[in-house]
Amino acid sequence: MAKSPRTSKATAKKAPAKKPATKKPKAAEAVATDGDFVLHSLQDAHEKNPRYDASVEEMMEFYEQMLLIRRFEEKAGQLYGLGLIGGFCHLYIGQEAVAIGLQSALDKDKDSVITGYRDHGHMLAYGIDPNVIMAELTGRQAGISKGKGGSMHMFSTEHKFYGGHGIVGAQVALGGGLALAHQYSEDGGFCLAYFGDGAANQGQVYETFNMAALWNLPIVFVIENNGYAMGTAVTRSSAETEFYRRGTAFRIPGMDVNGMDVLAVRAAAEVAFDHVRCGKGPVLMELNTYRYRGHSMSDPAKYRTREEVQEQRDHHDPIEAIKKALMENGKTEDELKSIDKAIRSRVADSADFAENSPEPEAAELYTDVLVEEY
Amino acid sequence: MAIELKMPALSPTMEEGTLAKWLVKEGDEIAPGDILAEIETDKATMEFEAIDEGTVGKILVEEGTENVAVGTVIAMLAGEGEDASDVSAASAEAPKAADAADGEGKEIGREPSEAEITKPVKAEPKRDPEIPHGTNMATVTVREALRDAMAEEMRRDERVFVMGEEVAQYQGAYKVTQGLLDEFGPKRVIDTPITEYGFAGIGAGAAMGGLRPIVEFMTFNFAMQAIDHIINSAAKTNYMSGGQMRCPIVFRGPNGAASRVGAQHSQNYGPWYASVPGLVVIAPYDSSDAKGLMKAAIRCEDPVVFLENELVYGRSFELPELDDHVLPIGKARIMREGSDVTIVSYSIGVGLALEAAEELAGEGIDAEVIDLRTLRPLDKQAVLDSLAKTNRLVIAEEGWPTCSISSEIVAICMEEGFDHLDAPVTRVCNEDVPLPYAANLEKMALIDTPRIIEAVKKVCYKV
């Protein structure tokens, strides 16, 4: 069974372990240096101020953006069922708060983002036109990769979004390279590199941790822990399920974040991004989240119970939470419903566009293999 | 009894070196572990330690002497009760074979065979038509040519940087990056940990982010750990992104069999990479091509796998003295013109093919030698044009035969040159076994000139 997304209660339970070890003998205390402090200082800062103090306008924005991802993904699932989307298709439903909370805190002119194959949400979080994303899913010429990439391979260098990578964990090393490019060209940006709890067991992740810390690269590693690597629960795949601790051996400070609460994610992002922007080197964030749908569309769903999924939907849904907060701040049910309606219509348009756009020209088969002619 | 102190080998393949400095003099008492002398090659310096105790007798080779063969008696050591002044060399003649090979790990100066370096290539290769007539030619090793190419491109473009294991402070495991750290500093000449998958990914990501990385693999054997990024990340991204995201990177390092390093360190990956759309694969032979194509590779917008050869690094060739010597990617070169038969090769095989052609000339067979230089995209037309002229073709490849560049050339000749064939196209490759360590077996496993000559005679029906 998956590790539940950490609530403040869970955090409190763990707190004693993080307190200075008063029971330690004096000699050990002497060994504890400022260098060790930095490993939990970001978490301490986050716990002091666990939720972002958002204005109503910001909350509305988060709500709309998360809802766009959800409705888009629901539609993608539907189109997949109709045979309009082929191959693998990994939906982001349930994890929306992660991409929105983090990406809302980026400097979009400077910072870069890279992720794995579950990438639709991260692109939508950038405000990339849903039409070209959906058209890529249906394999059309108008798709963002001219129909040649598909669900897992989408890019927008214009938005500094570098994919969209299908090999589990590869984006972490590539993200290290993007960070190196930021550092090398002194452009003031950093790289936000997402990966899952499954990818967190790949060797190259730790190779990258080592070099990122060694070279003080400007990178934020984000583990989206949705509890399952395909169908394998974290407890069955990972010796250390507290993923935020996994940078410790490389002296990378970790943060343990409730990924089902967009305001908690945003608050944590402020702390982490500030650290990196100040030139203090990499940060590792564990975002505890949950995916409602299967790993991909062909998931047998035999590895978890319906009750478990339902519990998450009923009690931890990020969109419901922000909706509730908005209503507490004077927004009416009708107002929010009309937003949902507009988003549904926007998504329906993108589906129409994706369905009616032509497939790539046959000549596209041979283009873009190489840039130059030899 | 007097002990002979012999010129040591720094590596399994070193055959001679310079006795740079004596640290003891005649009459000195020495104990095991004392440092007796410094030995140098063009790549490294090693301290020569005593293993026996005694008194230094006659010093037979003065310091500063160059080209001292491994095994040469360089001094005599008097044992207990012997008079050092009586001890003289029984024989100063060097034994033929090195008997003191100190095979270190992969990182320690694996020296190219000095015999390989100095072996004269008898045939005068045909001048590359790409080089303007009347250009002055210097004599430069392949190692220096590669280094100069990188340095020139780094001066030209701030985005170009080098990363890899031991490329900076150590000056390159094979000294290809020698001097770059001094000129460009640690920001642009980056020592990595031993973590091929990781740094290949970081290199590819940096290229996607707008830089021009040169990623050195200490050898391409270790790039197996990184092949995912070379193929899945670097080669495919431009296509998958509909031309939006490029990956202009050079992956370079020695490829193919070295000498006596066993199966895991001896493999030609040319066919592997050449099978991947989205990659450019270059495997030069001489200094001019090494430099001209390296510069082209660094400027190239596509990911390039640049396959060098350790045994060729130390060989000297003519190099045009041009301010900006850049050669076209994807063009083969006629190394020797001939009319009876074509020998197609690349990398180290070109030297063997030229030797074979020279010997065959003495037997009345006029062979044309083609150096493919680029394995992908392959210059099919050059191969087919030559076949149309000679009607017979042999491929010499230092690599396995199965699914090889040779296989590819055979297929091209069958599909597009069938009407020109007067004999079956024949492959001369390494034996289809992991490369053995034992000297005799290793020799049997690798291609050589006699085998190329035999194959040529066969297709010329002269056997």
Side-chain angles (χ1 to χ4, degrees), chain A residues 144-146 149 153 155-157 162 167 170 173-174 177-178 181 184 204 207 211 365 367-372 374, chain B residues 158 160 187-188 195 197-199 201-202 205-206 208 228-229 238-244 246 278 300-302:
Chain A
I144 195 158
S145 298
K146 296 189 202 163
H153 312 116
F155 313 82
S156 174
T157 48
Y162 292 89
I167 302 299
L174 295 171
L178 293 168
Y184 190 98
Q204 65 174 317
E207 297 187 32
M211 283 180 278
L365 180 60
T367 61
D368 306 319
V369 178
L370 293 171
V371 178
E372 296 186 35
Y374 304 96
Chain B
E158 276 291 320
V160 180
K187 180 184 167 186
R188 299 182 70 194
T195 178
Y197 195 8
F199 71 69
I202 286 182
M208 291 166 181
D228 171 49
H229 278 301
N238 191 59
Y239 193 82
M240 293 194 304
S241 69
Q244 215 188 123
R246 298 175 179 184
C300 179
E301 289 291 335
D302 292 302

Side-chain angles (χ1 to χ4, degrees), chain A residues 114 136 144-146 148-150 153-158 161-178 180-186 202-204 207-208 210-212 214-215 217 364-374, chain B residues 157-161 163 187-188 190-211 225 228-229 232-233 235 237-246 277-280 299-304 329-331 376-377:
Chain A
I114 191 164
E136 188 59 38
I144 195 158
S145 298
K146 296 189 202 163
K148 296 200 274 192
H153 312 116
M154 294 195 274
F155 313 82
S156 174
T157 48
E158 181 198 340
F161 178 76
Y162 292 89
H165 294 269
I167 302 299
V168 176
Q171 75 272 25
V172 181
L174 295 171
L178 293 168
L180 181 77
H182 285 299
Q183 185 186 61
Y184 190 98
S185 31
E186 297 170 18
Q202 287 280 23
Q204 65 174 317
E207 297 187 32
T208 307
N210 183 43
M211 283 180 278
L214 187 67
W215 299 337
L217 295 181
E364 282 292 351
L365 180 60
Y366 303 104
T367 61
D368 306 319
V369 178
L370 293 171
V371 178
E372 296 186 35
E373 284 179 25
Y374 304 96
Chain B
D157 185 346
E158 276 291 320
R159 299 170 302 168
V160 180
F161 70 99
M163 70 192 299
K187 180 184 167 186
R188 299 182 70 194
I190 305 170
D191 274 329
T192 65
I194 302 171
T195 178
E196 283 87 5
Y197 195 8
F199 71 69
I202 286 182
M208 291 166 181
L211 302 183
Q225 305 232 27
D228 171 49
H229 278 301
N232 272 317
S233 301
T237 298
N238 191 59
Y239 193 82
M240 293 194 304
S241 69
Q244 215 188 123
M245 201 161 105
R246 298 175 179 184
L279 287 180
V280 168
R299 290 182 197 184
C300 179
E301 289 291 335
D302 292 302
V304 178
I329 291 170
K331 294 278 177 286
R376 183 182 190 96

Side-chain angles (χ1 to χ4, degrees), chain B residues 331-408:
Chain B
K331 294 278 177 286
R333 174 177 164 199
I334 299 171
M335 298 293 280
R336 183 188 194 282
E337 274 181 319
S339 54
D340 295 335
V341 59
T342 302
I343 309 173
V344 173
S345 191
Y346 63 94
S347 189
I348 194 168
V350 174
L352 301 173
L354 288 169
E355 274 182 17
E358 204 56 28
E359 277 197 45
L360 287 160
E363 300 181 39
I365 297 174
D366 186 18
E368 178 148 295
V369 176
I370 293 189
D371 181 355
L372 293 170
R373 302 197 289 190
T374 303
L375 303 182
R376 183 182 190 96
L378 195 71
D379 190 352
K380 275 205 286 196
Q381 205 49 53
V383 173
L384 292 168
D385 288 349
S386 185
L387 177 64
K389 184 167 83 169
T390 65
N391 308 114
R392 297 159 203 277
L393 196 137
V394 168
I395 310 120
E397 181 172 19
E398 192 278 280
W400 290 317
T402 310
C403 303
S404 57
I405 300 295
S406 308
S407 316
E408 183 63 21

